[in-house]
Amino acid sequence: MKNTTTFGRSNFDRRGFLKAGGVAAIGTLAAPALLRAQDGPILLGHLTPRTGFLGPMGEYAIMAIDMATEEINAAGGINGRQVQFIKEDSVNPQTASTKAERMIERDKVVGIIGEISSASALTISQVAERGKRIFINTGSNSDTLRGSDCKRHMFHVESQNVMYVNAEGSHFLKEGLVEGKNWYVLTADYAFGHDLLNAAKGFLGRHGGNLIGDDLVPTDATDFSSLLLNIRQAKPDLVALNLAGTQITSFFKQYGEFGLEFPIGGFGFDTISAWAAGAENFHGTWPSVWHHRVETEKSQDFVKRFVAKYGKPPENQAYSDYMAVMIMAQAIRETQGTDAAEIITYFENPETKFDMMKTREGYFHPETHQLLQEIYAITALPADQVQNEWDIFTTSGPLPGADQPLESLIADAVGGTCSFAS
């Protein structure tokens, strides 16, 4: 195996970090308590699914959080303060909301990182907005979270659906699989899938493709036999999947069992799905925000450290949670505190850039709070060319190409307009 890694993490500070004038107004009796609070640990919340169909990705997120915490603290912390995380299974939107509120009101976390479910991310963002805490979304793709459901205190390290559609769609265009071609689409029946489907329909419409099949799939579905029979009868030019989590793994295995050979790909994907399916079942071309074969020095160092600790390479969810903490750590260091308003200003500054361990730096789009960064298209290797259980795909170069701005990835988003209404 070629790659290994570890990651670091960043953290926020307690709410109520006061400016010098405010400290003076409090008076000398209160100063010792304030100083103690500022010198104490930076307490962060982490919410992500650890059970259910998204649970396997959540476990990679937890590994990233633990490793990052160890690395940051071993290096002296953030501005001399140690980092601590309160970690919880978000379970579902209602539970995620309850736990986020408890973290803010009872535990006094200075911010929350995480989540994968778009529905849960929405409820967390609502709580974070009321509590005036930064929430960095690391796994939820919904365009509406960057559009009509955007929040001033919510930022997105995970790429949104339209970014994956535009990146992956450019690959399909080059392969002659769009214009005049017939697509059969399967979509996970929840917010993530719905938004991804809308983006895919928009892309097809703009480029002259035809949608001949469009099925919604319950998130707990495990048997795809009836859908596979429909696909066989429709004879599409491309089977496009907007599935998520363990759904993709199950579909891969049954697709192979049915002996179908139509080209396959999709717009929502996590490398854990390919690994779980195995080289004999993994098919097609898929978008990925990052993967363990990204050939930059910093990415490969990240992989090596991770493998040294966990015995396996990091999945893309580990990358996103790692980067979220590193981005927050950078903001705390640069603003010299954890005041949410100052961090928002820092994130929205067009001069603020982040090392994403890729060929280009990333930055937040100020109008939606989406982190703009390069994406990759990965393609399954033929089973007879696979040498180990992890390196089962090849990769494109960074998307978009160096001659195109990163803003091209968010063209024609379908999630509505972000207003950051208070």
Side-chain angles (χ1 to χ4, degrees), residues 9-74:
R9 199 160 323 260
S10 77
N11 286 271
F12 326 14
D13 189 359
R14 290 189 178 276
R15 186 183 181 191
F17 185 84
L18 303 176
K19 294 182 171 63
V23 173
I26 292 174
T28 57
L29 291 178
L34 178 63
L35 291 174
R36 284 195 299 273
Q38 293 176 348
D39 291 339
I42 295 173
L43 188 61
L44 286 169
H46 185 259
L47 283 166
T48 200
R50 302 186 70 172
T51 53
F53 78 111
L54 297 176
M57 286 182 286
E59 289 304 316
Y60 272 94
I62 292 296
M63 287 189 278
I65 291 290
D66 290 344
M67 175 170 279
T69 302
E70 292 175 8
E71 291 187 348
I72 286 178
N73 289 341

Side-chain angles (χ1 to χ4, degrees), residues 142-161:
S142 171
D143 282 346
T144 58
L145 291 177
R146 289 82 167 168
S148 59
D149 288 331
C150 71
K151 300 289 184 293
R152 173 66 64 184
H153 289 76
M154 177 168 56
F155 291 80
H156 310 275
V157 167
E158 170 62 285
S159 297
Q160 67 185 96
N161 285 332

Side-chain angles (χ1 to χ4, degrees), residues 166-188:
N166 285 334
E168 182 73 357
S170 66
H171 170 81
F172 290 145
L173 278 170
K174 291 178 182 178
E175 296 296 312
L177 289 172
V178 182
E179 186 176 359
K181 301 300 181 180
N182 297 325
W183 287 20
Y184 199 112
V185 181
L186 300 183
T187 300

